[in-house]
Amino acid sequence: MRRHVDVETPADTDAQAVELQKILQVLLPIRKQRLSRSERQQRQQEQKLQLCQQAQRMGEQQLADHSRRYQTTSAAFLPQHQGKQTPLHALNAAIEDEQQKRNDMQQQQQQVERLASASLQQQAHSEAALGHVRRCQRDVEKIEYLLQNSEVIRS
């Protein structure tokens, strides 16, 4: 069966298609704004991650310094005091110095562990923000696609 289309008579505009077009035109700027906001938040999370990683590297460097100082002090302790007459207060001071350097090293090691944990946590936040950006981008692309196709259909 063949339908006869009258070229002179304009086709009835599909009310639903027009309504969909209006809704999509309202949604598109909202979705673009969400995308922009999520991109800004993602950049902020990335900056925080970089700061955390930088703090962790600095902490690791300080730990290496504390460790060298402790090892140097510990290695020098025996040759300095073995077989020598050393006053008790000097020996106690040397022991306290070695203990203090060991404590400093242990505290720095704990600090590095906290910084590493914070970096991992910030990494998770950054990845979540990136996922949100991707979802927002898909939403914008879908709306743009629907708008584009609804315009093609109406033409």
Side-chain angles (χ1 to χ4, degrees), residues 29 36 53 58 82 103 105 116-117 124 138-139 152:
S36 177
Q53 290 172 338
M58 288 174 48
Q82 186 176 19
N103 289 340
M105 182 185 69
S117 175
R138 279 196 308 270
D139 290 345
V152 169

Side-chain angles (χ1 to χ4, degrees), residues 99-123:
Q99 288 175 339
Q100 182 61 45
K101 288 182 178 166
R102 186 185 68 227
N103 289 340
D104 292 345
M105 182 185 69
Q106 289 172 339
Q107 288 174 354
Q108 187 62 36
Q109 188 170 17
Q110 291 170 351
Q111 178 68 13
V112 167
E113 290 169 4
R114 285 190 294 272
L115 291 169
S117 175
S119 288
L120 286 175
Q121 188 175 19
Q122 189 58 46
Q123 177 72 34

Side-chain angles (χ1 to χ4, degrees), residues 12-115:
D12 290 336
T13 55
D14 186 8
Q16 288 180 340
V18 170
E19 189 64 27
L20 176 63
Q21 182 91 13
K22 288 178 184 177
I23 291 171
L24 292 174
Q25 287 173 346
V26 168
L27 278 177
L28 185 60
I30 295 169
R31 296 296 179 167
K32 283 185 175 182
Q33 185 180 25
R34 283 185 186 171
L35 174 59
S36 177
R37 187 175 342 127
S38 69
E39 288 171 335
R40 187 173 50 254
Q41 289 172 345
Q42 194 264 335
R43 284 190 302 271
Q44 290 171 348
Q45 294 298 330
E46 284 294 322
Q47 289 173 345
K48 288 180 183 178
L49 176 60
Q50 288 174 356
L51 290 174
C52 283
Q53 290 172 338
Q54 182 181 9
Q56 183 180 355
R57 284 190 300 273
M58 288 174 48
E60 288 170 349
Q61 188 176 20
Q62 289 175 352
L63 175 60
D65 292 343
H66 285 294
S67 180
R68 274 192 298 277
R69 280 189 227 126
Y70 171 67
Q71 289 173 356
T72 301
T73 303
S74 181
F77 184 82
L78 196 58
Q80 286 177 351
H81 302 288
Q82 186 176 19
K84 297 180 182 174
Q85 292 276 334
T86 307
L88 183 59
H89 72 299
L91 188 58
N92 284 336
I95 291 171
E96 285 179 26
D97 183 49
E98 181 184 6
Q99 288 175 339
Q100 182 61 45
K101 288 182 178 166
R102 186 185 68 227
N103 289 340
D104 292 345
M105 182 185 69
Q106 289 172 339
Q107 288 174 354
Q108 187 62 36
Q109 188 170 17
Q110 291 170 351
Q111 178 68 13
V112 167
E113 290 169 4
R114 285 190 294 272
L115 291 169

Side-chain angles (χ1 to χ4, degrees), residues 16-22 24-25 143-155:
Q16 288 180 340
V18 170
E19 189 64 27
L20 176 63
Q21 182 91 13
K22 288 178 184 177
L24 292 174
Q25 287 173 346
I143 291 173
E144 287 174 339
Y145 175 80
L146 289 171
L147 269 172
Q148 190 176 40
N149 284 337
S150 68
E151 288 174 1
V152 169
I153 292 171
R154 289 183 58 204
S155 305

